[in-house]
Amino acid sequence: MTHTIENEGYRITIEERGAELLSFKRLKDEREYIWNGEETIWKWHAPVLFPQCGNFSNGYTYKGKTLHLPMHGFLRDVIHSYNGDGVFSFSFDGCDDYPFSFQAITYYILTGNKLNHRIEITNTGVDPMPYSLGFHTGLWLKSPLLTFEREEDEIGSKEFKCNDDTMKETKLYTSIKSRKVFAEDEDGKKLSLSYSDFSTLVLWSPQGHSDKLVCIEPRIDTVPEGAKEPFSRILSKNGKVMLEETIEVLN
């Protein structure tokens, strides 16, 4: 089931499955800013990655056992309860491959031309809980120019041009200082994207499709490809972690 929130200028649509953002649309001209989920290219829109970011075919070790999670975890696949006013919740009591209990609460707040999306994860069990958490928001942009608020050593500039050449491989950065990025695409769409604290920033497009779709993915505790274990952060009993993104339409 989907739910909509609308003001005088914009409408957002959220799916109960994964509490996933499906659409962020400007009403005056029906301009869409979130990827449409075309299955032949990428079937998602803006999933949240939890309790694992990435794919670890060898699984992870817990209490001497090797356990396995699906790519990017399972939170994006489960039905969340809609509590009204843009708030979704999901409670989990553990399973064989993730024997931990948690509650996830997702908030969507639409104010004028600005969308705030926040998720909070609380460890409701008794055992320390290993985790990773990330956004994978698909932006419907045509080969955008990204401008970071600060000079970034990993990029070598404040700017990064997304095209099929620069996006041939996934970009994974672990020392990005900026918490705000401006995106302007070749059709004149302009966005600013602001994030809470993160440890890793991933830029990704399906191969050959950067002229349609670019994902900007702030993540907490993503381990670079090739690591043996997906987790190094631990959430203690009653501990809480939060990740937040704000998308502002500039044109």
Side-chain angles (χ1 to χ4, degrees), residues 58-220:
N58 293 326
Y60 70 103
T61 303
Y62 181 70
K63 292 186 176 180
K65 295 182 179 180
T66 299
L67 307 178
H68 295 270
L69 288 169
M71 183 176 182
H72 293 326
F74 55 80
L75 193 64
R76 64 181 181 173
D77 292 310
V78 296
I79 301 300
H80 295 233
S81 298
Y82 185 53
N83 304 328
D85 296 325
V87 181
F88 296 78
S89 62
F90 173 74
S91 295
F92 184 75
D93 292 326
C95 65
D96 289 345
D97 281 308
Y98 195 68
F100 309 98
S101 299
F102 66 85
Q103 182 181 52
I105 301 180
T106 301
Y107 303 84
Y108 289 97
I109 301 172
L110 180 64
T111 307
N113 62 337
K114 188 179 296 186
L115 171 61
N116 179 262
H117 173 205
R118 182 173 85 252
I119 182 167
E120 297 175 354
I121 305 287
T122 302
N123 180 358
T124 56
V126 297
D127 294 325
M129 183 176 76
Y131 75 93
S132 296
L133 174 63
F135 289 135
H136 200 319
T137 303
L139 301 171
W140 200 340
L141 299 176
K142 183 177 180 179
S143 303
L145 175 67
L146 306 182
T147 303
F148 292 79
E149 63 178 346
R150 302 176 64 178
E151 196 82 16
E152 297 294 348
D153 293 340
E154 281 185 290
I155 295 173
S157 172
K158 290 180 67 173
E159 296 184 343
F160 182 89
K161 175 65 174 177
C162 300
N163 55 44
D164 287 347
D165 184 45
T166 61
M167 302 291 283
K168 282 190 296 187
E169 298 177 348
T170 299
K171 303 295 184 182
L172 189 152
Y173 302 112
T174 58
S175 60
I176 295 294
K177 301 180 290 293
S178 299
R179 293 297 179 265
K180 189 170 188 176
V181 183
F182 295 91
E184 181 173 0
D185 84 346
E186 294 180 353
D187 286 335
K189 290 182 183 176
K190 296 180 183 179
L191 301 172
S192 73
L193 305 117
S194 302
Y195 306 106
S196 59
D197 198 24
F198 57 82
S199 62
T200 304
L201 187 70
V202 173
L203 303 179
W204 176 82
S205 289
Q207 191 167 14
H209 294 291
S210 65
D211 62 338
K212 304 177 186 70
L213 165 64
V214 171
C215 294
I216 302 178
E217 308 174 34
R219 301 178 179 182
I220 296 174

